């Protein structure tokens, strides 16, 4: 086999709402030259544009509930098959429960791929709740009401946090302290990915 200069990075960032996944996700994706695939962003863009998909999911997002696994999975599968995702991607917001973990494994098996690392942004519930209250005041996201925030955090703790056990068993989880200076947190993530031999495309 000849040495290849192309490196891939198939990453997943997991953390409670308000843990900073969005901010850190963009930084990681830029550094690795890969697209961010954020299901929440895709749903919100569709709602904004009034597409048929957007109409289907508006009430679900408003209530802070999860969109069906079928709909979400089909969307992700399609997105991951696009040319810019061939050499990697950073998933944010998917998979969010055990069924979606199994779905994703199937999609990746089809292209003979697997996740390289799962970045867990660790932030205590009280801290994320406080951050989300600030975001609600600043950005007025429709699902950032007190009840909406609490509901989404409950779903995270009940359905999403347990998916880390499955990935932990594969030895691909990097638990990152998500409290502190934004740049420092980015450095912590880069350091963990470097240990896994994942090579950044660009210096940032
Ligand atoms: P947050 O992490 O603050 O809840 P996201 O942007 O990740 O925000 O998601 C917003 C909403 O989009 C979720 O509350 C849910 O309704 C929907 N959503 C996003 N990702 C998924 C997913 N993987 N499965 C089902 N629903 C999802």
């Amino acid at each position: 086999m000849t040495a290849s200069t192309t490196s891939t990075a198939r990453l997943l960032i997991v953390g409670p709402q308000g843990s900073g996944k969005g901010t850190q996700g963009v930084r990681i994706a830029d550094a690795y030259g890969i697209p961010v695939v954020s299901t929440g962003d895709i749903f919100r863009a569709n709602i904004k544009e009034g597409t048929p998909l957007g109409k289907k999911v508006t009430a679900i997002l408003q209530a802070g509930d999860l969109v069906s696994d079928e709909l979400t999975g089909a969307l992700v599968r399609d997105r991951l098959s696009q040319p810019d995702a061939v050499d990697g991607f950073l998933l944010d917001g998917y998979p969010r429960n055990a069924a979606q973990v199994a779905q994703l494994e199937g999609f990746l098996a089809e292209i003979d791929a697997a996740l390289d690392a799962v970045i867990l942004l660790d932030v205590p519930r009280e801290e994320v709740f406080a951050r989300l209250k600030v975001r609600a005041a600043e950005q007025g996201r429709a699902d950032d009401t007190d009840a909406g925030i609490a509901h989404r955090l409950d779903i995270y703790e009940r359905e999403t946090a347990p998916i880390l056990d499955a990935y932990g068993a594969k030895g691909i989880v990097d638990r990152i302290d998500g409290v502190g200076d934004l740049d420092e947190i980015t450095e912590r993530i880069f350091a963990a990915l470097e240990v896994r031999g994942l090579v950044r495309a660009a210096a940032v």
Side-chain angles (χ1 to χ4, degrees):
M1 224 174 82
T2 52
S4 167
T5 50
T6 319
S7 54
T8 58
R10 296 190 176 92
L11 309 174
L12 162 64
I13 189 160
V14 181
Q17 292 72 11
S19 57
K21 280 177 303 167
T23 308
Q24 297 297 339
V26 169
R27 293 180 176 199
I28 301 162
D30 284 353
Y32 279 87
I34 53 178
V36 173
V37 176
S38 159
T39 42
D41 283 353
I42 296 173
F43 288 136
R44 278 187 293 275
N46 276 273
I47 290 173
K48 204 169 156 201
E49 289 159 23
T51 67
L53 170 67
K55 293 203 170 82
K56 252 190 216 171
V57 302
T58 302
I60 301 172
L61 265 82
Q62 174 81 47
D65 290 326
L66 294 189
V67 176
S68 76
D69 294 334
E70 290 70 28
L71 197 59
T72 311
L75 192 90
V76 171
R77 182 165 184 257
D78 176 69
R79 180 66 189 87
L80 295 185
S81 70
Q82 286 166 28
D84 66 331
V86 167
D87 286 333
F89 47 76
L90 179 119
L91 283 166
D92 170 4
Y94 178 96
R96 226 178 176 91
N97 58 31
Q100 294 181 5
V101 169
Q103 258 181 356
L104 176 64
E105 205 155 308
F107 302 156
L108 293 179
E110 285 170 15
I111 55 168
D112 206 13
L115 288 179
D116 296 302
V118 176
I119 301 151
L120 165 62
L121 267 187
D122 208 5
V123 181
R125 181 168 171 132
E126 314 77 67
E127 166 85 14
V128 292
F129 201 89
R131 290 185 191 175
L132 289 171
K133 298 268 287 184
V134 173
R135 183 172 86 180
E138 285 173 1
Q139 299 178 7
R141 229 178 77 169
D143 54 354
D144 274 350
T145 59
D146 272 14
I149 293 169
H151 184 55
R152 279 163 29 245
L153 287 174
D154 286 344
I155 295 181
Y156 175 79
E157 284 163 14
R158 194 176 63 236
E159 297 195 33
T160 308
I163 73 172
L164 291 160
D165 293 343
Y167 289 126
K170 292 182 199 263
I172 57 172
V173 176
D174 288 316
R175 181 181 289 266
I176 306 293
D177 180 2
V179 179
D181 178 72
L182 276 184
D183 291 342
E184 256 170 46
I185 297 167
T186 308
E187 286 309 319
R188 287 176 201 153
I189 296 170
F190 285 166
L193 295 178
E194 231 160 74
V195 169
R196 293 189 181 277
L198 294 169
V199 183
R200 293 205 288 280
V204 287

